[in-house]
Amino acid sequence: MLAGEAPMTDTLHSDDPSRSADCPPCTGTPALDRIEAHRAEIGEGFVIRRALPTAKRRMVGPWCFLDHLGPAAYSAGNGLAVGPHPHIGLQTFTWLVEGEIFHRDSLGTEQIIRPGQVNLMTAGRGIAHSEDTVTPDAGRVHAAQLWIALPEAERHRAPSFAHYPSLPRVTRDGVTATVLAGEHAGERAPAEVFSPMVGVDFHAPGPAATEAPLDPRFEHAVMAMSGEVDVEGERISPGTLLYLGRGRSTFSLRCNDEARLLLVGGAPFGEEILMWWNFVGRTPEDIIEAAADWNEGRRFAEVVGSPSPRIPAPDTARVRMRRPSGPV
């Protein structure tokens, strides 16, 4: 977000919680389903595209949230300013393409993330963090911010934070694949995750065409972060998530100019989750308790050093009204 605006998690926030079973289940066969991201523009043309969750697809493997931020230029004093806010039941995953972001959290972590690096914060039973521009100077930012739902056996674990400044890369046919999570093309990312999954950034500096391997046991989706890319004959540009389904051992990509493509995937998540604001739980009670704990100063330690104001949890009235919709 930009200074003086609502946080990115609030910009597209709905009072209605998102239940993973309220959309079609993972298909067991290949698919080419186009999903248009929700789009918001704040401040000086700062564009946020929310590709997950949507009514058509809540999750891809354990990936349950995907925001594409920018690319955007901002003037002095109008950079990122996401004040302290809480999370439970998930991992936050930041992949930075341009700019710098200063992460602070309630564990006392202070970490600047720079292009080509990943920040991975495991909320577990509860953590709070902030994200701010490093300096008040003018600059640019381009990033993907994702959440990974923690399985039941891990969602109450102690919170933690990890920074990965170096990631494995594979270049083939003029396309460089950076392995962000899981394994791809014989390379394994260092990020500690708790479900079978994969995340890969594909970057072509110019015209290119290649075929990339996939795990046929996983469901996958791709999103263009810049340029236009043909994936399995479907042309996508920023703002479109292309769901590939399951059962693919490869996928083709082609571009006529510089382009960047993000791949996410994983084993279909075998648990139903409930998402609202910054929380991933299983029941409305999980969410309501976490919101009350944050607003009333329980559970979550303070984030020290952020210049941005603390963000209160919204009213949970709609969460209280939520009832299971039955078998899907």
Side-chain angles (χ1 to χ4, degrees), residues 138-219:
R140 290 180 59 82
V141 66
H142 188 196
Q145 292 197 331
L146 305 100
W147 296 353
I148 304 165
L150 288 171
E152 180 64 34
E154 303 291 347
R155 72 185 184 100
H156 298 293
R157 68 185 290 114
S160 61
F161 175 84
H163 172 71
Y164 300 103
S166 181
L167 301 168
R169 290 177 169 83
V170 179
T171 299
R172 178 181 175 184
D173 301 329
V175 178
T176 296
T178 303
V179 188
L180 309 179
E183 186 174 355
H184 174 79
E187 297 288 342
R188 175 165 289 276
E192 183 182 20
V193 294
F194 301 95
S195 297
M197 61 186 299
V198 68
V200 183
D201 173 273
F202 294 93
H203 178 240
T210 193
E211 194 168 84
L214 294 176
D215 187 332
R217 299 170 298 175
F218 288 0
E219 60 176 333

Side-chain angles (χ1 to χ4, degrees), residues 24-49:
C26 165
T27 177
T29 58
L32 287 173
D33 296 334
R34 301 176 69 94
I35 299 170
E36 298 308 312
H38 299 299
R39 186 180 185 276
E41 185 171 328
I42 59 176
E44 301 173 342
F46 194 114
V47 176
I48 299 173
R49 304 173 186 88

Side-chain angles (χ1 to χ4, degrees), residues 4 76 79 84 137 155 171 184 186 195-196 225 250 258 282 287 292 295 303:
D137 301 333
R155 72 185 184 100
T171 299
H184 174 79
S195 297
M225 292 186 67
T250 63
E258 181 175 4
R282 298 299 186 273
I287 305 299
N295 285 344
V303 178

Side-chain angles (χ1 to χ4, degrees), residues 211-322:
E211 194 168 84
L214 294 176
D215 187 332
R217 299 170 298 175
F218 288 0
E219 60 176 333
H220 296 91
V222 292
M223 182 189 71
M225 292 186 67
S226 61
E228 293 188 335
V229 188
D230 286 345
V231 176
E232 292 294 305
E234 286 281 329
R235 176 161 293 188
I236 60 172
S237 55
T240 298
L241 182 79
L242 186 65
Y243 180 67
L244 302 178
R246 236 177 132 187
R248 295 181 185 272
S249 57
T250 63
F251 80 101
S252 64
L253 66 93
R254 177 186 300 272
C255 57
N256 295 324
D257 207 337
E258 181 175 4
R260 185 178 297 274
L261 184 77
L262 181 65
L263 167 77
V264 294
F269 200 67
E271 304 170 22
E272 183 181 312
I273 69 167
L274 186 68
M275 286 178 53
W276 179 84
W277 195 47
N278 297 313
F279 305 134
V280 170
R282 298 299 186 273
T283 67
E285 289 72 26
D286 290 340
I287 305 299
I288 293 165
E289 181 181 12
D293 285 348
W294 173 249
N295 285 344
E296 296 169 19
R298 299 187 297 267
R299 189 189 321 196
F300 305 94
E302 290 299 314
V303 178
V304 177
S306 174
S308 304
R310 190 178 190 270
I311 302 166
D315 182 69
T316 56
R318 296 289 292 179
V319 182
R320 295 177 187 277
M321 296 170 58
R322 194 67 168 88

Side-chain angles (χ1 to χ4, degrees), residues 9 62-65 87 90-92 146-149 275 277-278:
T9 46
W63 302 98
C64 60
F65 177 96
H87 291 284
L90 57 87
Q91 294 179 288
T92 65
L146 305 100
W147 296 353
I148 304 165
M275 286 178 53
W277 195 47
N278 297 313

